[in-house]
Amino acid sequence: MNHKIEIDRSSVQLLRIAVSGIFLVAGLNHLLQPDNVVGRIELASYKDFAYFFGDPTLLVVLSGIVMLLAGISFLIGYKTKWAALVLIATLIPITITIQIGQASTLGPLFKNIAIFGGLLFFVMNDTSNSIKK
């Protein structure tokens, strides 16, 4: 079943702004302090998952660039659905590598799950201002 639910446009904008913040901060952190992020990968239970994709330093820098660019796009509402998909694709390997398999990261794991939910809202719903005829 497909039901229409009316929601206030400002609540959608606030959700987009709130969710984008984590990616802007994390993206900057990955670019400005890649050694710290690589250090976290080295301590992770599933660090081999990251190594499967390549050099951790390169992956950290690339993910920082992607998070920053997609985070800005998401923040300003430009290609929001695509930006959300890119952010989900970036967040999945980060979550698997850093949070899964470590009891001390249960809080951040569930934070990432909540972020997935916020991003999925934008993937599954048309949040554009256009009127379809």
Side-chain angles (χ1 to χ4, degrees), residues 30-44:
H30 282 215
L31 293 173
L32 298 176
Q33 300 177 345
D35 293 338
N36 290 351
V37 180
V38 170
R40 289 180 57 208
I41 292 171
E42 291 296 325
L43 298 174

Side-chain angles (χ1 to χ4, degrees), residues 78-91:
Y78 179 73
K79 303 284 186 187
T80 306
K81 185 176 287 197
W82 288 106
L85 285 168
V86 168
L87 292 170
I88 287 170
T90 305
L91 193 56

Side-chain angles (χ1 to χ4, degrees), residues 10-102:
S10 61
S11 69
V12 173
Q13 292 168 335
L14 285 171
L15 177 60
R16 199 179 67 240
I17 291 166
V19 172
S20 68
I22 188 77
F23 295 102
L24 299 175
V25 170
L28 284 172
N29 186 48
H30 282 215
L31 293 173
L32 298 176
Q33 300 177 345
D35 293 338
N36 290 351
V37 180
V38 170
R40 289 180 57 208
I41 292 171
E42 291 296 325
L43 298 174
S45 297
Y46 291 109
K47 65 182 171 193
D48 292 337
F49 183 74
Y51 282 108
F52 173 78
F53 293 100
D55 175 55
T57 302
L58 177 62
L59 294 173
V60 166
V61 171
L62 289 175
S63 66
I65 292 168
V66 169
M67 285 191 287
L68 200 54
L69 293 176
I72 290 168
S73 177
F74 193 75
L75 172 68
I76 64 174
Y78 179 73
K79 303 284 186 187
T80 306
K81 185 176 287 197
W82 288 106
L85 285 168
V86 168
L87 292 170
I88 287 170
T90 305
L91 193 56
I92 288 171
I94 292 170
T95 301
I96 291 170
T97 302
I98 302 297
Q99 270 93 30
I100 293 180
Q102 300 182 142

Side-chain angles (χ1 to χ4, degrees), residues 15 19 88 91 110-125:
L15 177 60
V19 172
I88 287 170
L91 193 56
F110 284 100
K111 173 202 59 133
N112 282 11
I113 292 169
I115 293 168
F116 281 123
L119 292 169
L120 283 173
F121 173 85
F122 289 92
V123 171
M124 297 173 67
N125 296 286

